[in-house]
Amino acid sequence: MIINHPLLGPRDATEFSYLGDASLMHRPEWQSDDAENQFYEYQYLRDNKAGIHRELWYHEQGDRSWLVVTRNTLTHEISSVELASDVARREGRSR
Amino acid sequence: MRYSVLSLLKEAFNGNKGWKPAWRDPEPQAEYDVIIVGGGGHGLATAYYLAREFGINRVAVLEKGWIGSGNVGRNTTIIRSNYLLDGNQPFYEQSLKLWEGLEQDFNYNAMVSQRGIINLYHSDPQRDAFVRRANSMRLSGADAEILNQNTIREMCPFLDFDNARFPIQGGLIQRRGGTVRHDAVAWGYARGADQRGVDILQNCEVTDFIIENGVCSGVETNRGSIRANKVGVAVAGSSGRVMAQAGMRLPIETHVLQAFVSEGLKPVLPGVITFGAGHFYVSQSDKGGLVFGGDIDGYNSYAQRGNLPVVEDVCESGMAIMPMIGRSKLLRMWGGVMDMSMDGSPIIDKTPIDGLYLNAGWCYGGFKATPASGWCFAHLLAKDEPHKTATKYRLDRFKRGAMVDERGAGAQPNLH
């Protein structure tokens, strides 16, 4: 697979390490009342979609940026690649 | 029809005109006692043991494609019980015992061949870990032996013993381990279940679960709705998307694992051999092909095919222990989709929805577990309580912090 890095252009997937579902960007609020259950769901449960899947890749052998890659798990086709920091800010995070 | 030498001779003189299909192709009935979703090894074994062991015959096995079209037809056929943890080893030893009697039990030639499995070790600490594992295996009643380098040299002279990076110091052997003809496992269980009244419904895809007030009372399929008191799901690889129809999220990611077969060679391997310093396992099929595999690709995939970096990694590992493998040509390679659970161990349990049961999360170790998985799932479905060797495989163990983490890699499915 070739991941089209937004800054560095097309890079081989072997340069990256894989974390999983992009929802892992959003850690639960540790002080909320049901934090224990939220962290259980955050840590262990997955949507595990067959089809379009947003996921986190880390450019370990490159510029060490985190990317959000949108990829079809049925075909391995990648439809978009964004910097995770851009996505996080767009989704309301301060950084 | 019972298969025997006599029936073989009779049909030989009869021009082989008397053989019947090994199972029926029935129409779905409106209602069953138990529905098993998934006509793979585990689903068919569950139906077989439900009928044979627990006296429940009004059972249907629902399969989206044809039976045995999933992982039971896509694995590297190894059977073994060389685990460490209490929650695992007795279960896998039960499975190995069932393999040993399986062909007589269901009257079908599954080519169970106990040619032994050797796990190589390459350092002193690894030897110590294997000695501990061997002790754990013996405590469960399994066989285990530590072999020194000289013994392995006699058995497998072709290994690269003096490899500069990973010299082979010895190995852990389980002589009762071996290989099985994988497709015949599905066919044997299907035939045995069918003979006991189980309906095997192929081309029957579950499109939804019938759930009213938190109770599951059947399924919707492309061949109409079918009611049942209990529904058991055994669709490893697709557990995530099937259980999503019941509104459940699972502690599972689906990943792709590749496997490889070389051209046919004269017998060279005495049994199954695994590399201790990388992920590589190899055996030789009765047709002569070297059957081998390695790591999962490491990203979510339902594609049933992988990518080239893992092919390179597997072949490098093969060359590291067995340089002669470089002389053989690769004949075929393929991928299967795996339920990678969060601790590397399976789930055989009730779900929060009454009447809905789950058998999932087999990672890439499901084939060897087929008989015990079927037995334990049938036990759970029949008696509503887990079998004694499968008590640790609870769905809620992640919430309770009671993981069965054989590898010790934590909640990272692509590291198991």
Side-chain angles (χ1 to χ4, degrees):
Chain A
M1 286 190 297
I2 303 289
I3 294 174
N4 196 8
H5 194 297
L7 303 176
L8 303 175
R11 309 300 308 178
D12 194 278
T14 51
E15 294 178 5
F16 295 79
S17 62
Y18 180 81
L19 184 67
D21 197 302
S23 64
L24 291 170
M25 282 166 59
H26 301 294
R27 282 173 78 84
E29 177 54 53
W30 66 278
Q31 283 179 311
S32 66
D33 289 341
D34 64 338
E36 191 180 338
N37 192 53
Q38 282 187 38
F39 269 99
Y40 156 68
E41 294 191 358
Y42 169 82
Q43 176 81 336
Y44 294 112
L45 301 188
R46 298 286 184 271
D47 288 341
N48 194 20
K49 287 206 179 101
I52 302 298
H53 189 240
R54 287 175 77 241
E55 56 202 18
L56 288 166
W57 292 74
Y58 176 55
H59 200 195
E60 193 166 21
Q61 310 290 328
D63 71 344
R64 307 215 174 164
S65 56
W66 282 95
L67 304 181
V68 174
V69 175
T70 307
R71 189 176 58 94
N72 189 329
T73 57
L74 291 163
T75 63
H76 298 164
E77 187 188 1
I78 293 172
S79 51
S80 93
V81 183
E82 297 169 276
L83 287 173
S85 52
D86 289 349
V87 176
R89 271 194 291 272
R90 198 173 65 224
E91 293 180 2
R93 287 248 301 266
S94 58
R95 61 188 176 91
Chain B
M1 180 198 284
R2 202 183 147 70
Y3 296 149
S4 64
V5 175
L6 212 63
S7 70
L8 205 62
L9 283 174
K10 190 173 149 227
E11 288 306 320
F13 287 110
N14 192 21
N16 286 310
K17 287 180 193 134
W19 297 116
K20 301 267 187 326
W23 53 85
R24 296 164 296 132
D25 184 19
E27 283 301 310
Q29 293 172 31
E31 197 180 343
Y32 292 91
D33 288 339
V34 177
I35 287 175
I36 307 292
V37 182
H42 291 218
L44 293 164
T46 305
Y48 174 77
Y49 291 120
L50 269 175
R52 205 209 62 159
E53 205 57 34
F54 300 98
I56 300 175
N57 306 75
R58 289 181 62 228
V59 176
V61 178
L62 275 44
E63 167 55 46
K64 178 177 81 163
W66 64 92
I67 59 166
S69 57
N71 291 334
V72 74
R74 306 178 84 86
N75 55 74
T76 46
T77 79
I78 298 165
I79 60 169
R80 58 187 173 90
S81 67
N82 53 4
Y83 283 70
L84 178 71
L85 299 181
D86 277 348
N88 277 330
Q89 177 56 18
F91 173 82
Y92 288 102
E93 176 55 19
Q94 182 201 6
S95 202
L96 194 54
K97 287 205 173 78
L98 287 169
W99 282 117
E100 287 173 325
L102 185 65
E103 295 163 298
Q104 301 305 320
D105 190 79
F106 65 21
N107 181 231
Y108 201 89
N109 182 9
M111 295 165 67
V112 176
S113 168
Q114 294 180 288
R115 52 187 73 180
I117 174 165
I118 301 173
N119 304 122
L120 300 172
Y121 62 77
H122 308 266
S123 65
D124 291 352
Q126 196 171 24
R127 180 201 55 212
D128 295 348
F130 279 15
V131 168
R132 180 178 174 222
R133 179 177 297 260
N135 289 339
S136 165
M137 289 161 67
R138 287 197 206 98
L139 283 173
S140 76
D143 67 306
E145 247 176 275
I146 298 290
L147 303 179
N148 63 20
Q149 197 205 55
N150 286 340
T151 317
I152 300 212
R153 266 187 202 274
E154 281 164 30
M155 295 170 76
C156 313
F158 47 81
L159 295 176
D160 188 6
F161 288 88
D162 304 316
N163 185 298
R165 183 83 167 84
F166 302 115
I168 296 167
Q169 293 190 358
L172 163 65
I173 186 169
Q174 181 172 41
R175 296 188 194 275
R176 288 162 61 239
T179 58
V180 179
R181 166 90 172 94
H182 51 199
D183 295 319
V185 176
W187 300 333
Y189 275 125
R191 175 170 167 271
D194 179 86
Q195 284 174 345
R196 288 164 178 81
V198 172
D199 281 359
I200 294 166
L201 307 170
Q202 303 184 82
N203 300 312
C204 186
E205 181 175 2
V206 170
T207 53
D208 204 358
F209 292 93
I210 303 170
I211 298 171
E212 291 145 354
N213 303 322
V215 181
C216 179
S217 56
V219 292
E220 300 288 351
T221 76
N222 59 348
R223 295 172 72 174
S225 60
I226 307 174
R227 296 260 163 187
N229 299 329
K230 292 176 180 177
V231 177
V233 177
V235 294
S238 298
S239 299
R241 56 174 160 179
V242 170
M243 296 311 282
Q245 294 170 355
M248 282 179 63
R249 294 171 80 217
L250 300 179
I252 285 172
E253 285 180 6
T254 298
H255 287 248
V256 61
L257 176 71
Q258 304 188 62
F260 310 84
V261 175
S262 79
E263 60 190 326
L265 305 170
K266 287 183 178 176
V268 285
L269 301 191
V272 185
I273 299 170
T274 77
F275 188 25
H279 207 155
F280 180 80
Y281 36 91
V282 60
S283 63
Q284 190 168 20
S285 77
D286 289 339
K287 276 197 290 187
L290 302 179
V291 184
F292 56 97
D295 256 330
I296 53 175
D297 272 39
Y299 45 80
N300 287 42
S301 173
Y302 285 88
Q304 289 194 321
R305 61 183 165 75
N307 277 303
L308 291 172
V310 166
V311 178
E312 187 179 8
D313 182 65
V314 170
C315 292
E316 281 173 355
S317 297
M319 289 298 288
I321 59 164
M322 197 183 292
M324 72 172 182
I325 206 171
R327 289 285 177 173
S328 64
K329 294 190 178 71
L330 198 61
L331 189 67
R332 301 185 284 128
M333 51 193 272
W334 65 93
V337 292
M338 312 287 133
D339 273 5
M340 297 304 295
S341 69
M342 288 290 160
D343 60 358
S345 296
I347 294 156
I348 305 176
D349 205 359
K350 301 175 193 178
T351 69
I353 299 161
D354 277 347
L356 184 59
Y357 299 73
L358 179 64
N359 176 328
W362 290 96
C363 299
Y364 44 79
F367 178 72
K368 76 178 92 66
T370 304
S373 165
W375 188 292
C376 292
F377 199 34
H379 186 282
L380 178 73
L381 282 160
K383 304 192 171 193
D384 267 322
E385 58 186 56
H387 186 266
K388 65 177 191 299
T389 63
T391 53
K392 300 274 205 275
Y393 298 151
R394 305 273 70 79
L395 179 57
D396 67 353
R397 66 177 183 264
F398 302 97
K399 200 163 193 170
R400 291 184 288 113
M403 269 68 87
V404 187
D405 196 348
E406 184 85 21
R407 173 89 183 260
Q412 275 291 84
N414 58 351
L415 297 186
H416 291 302

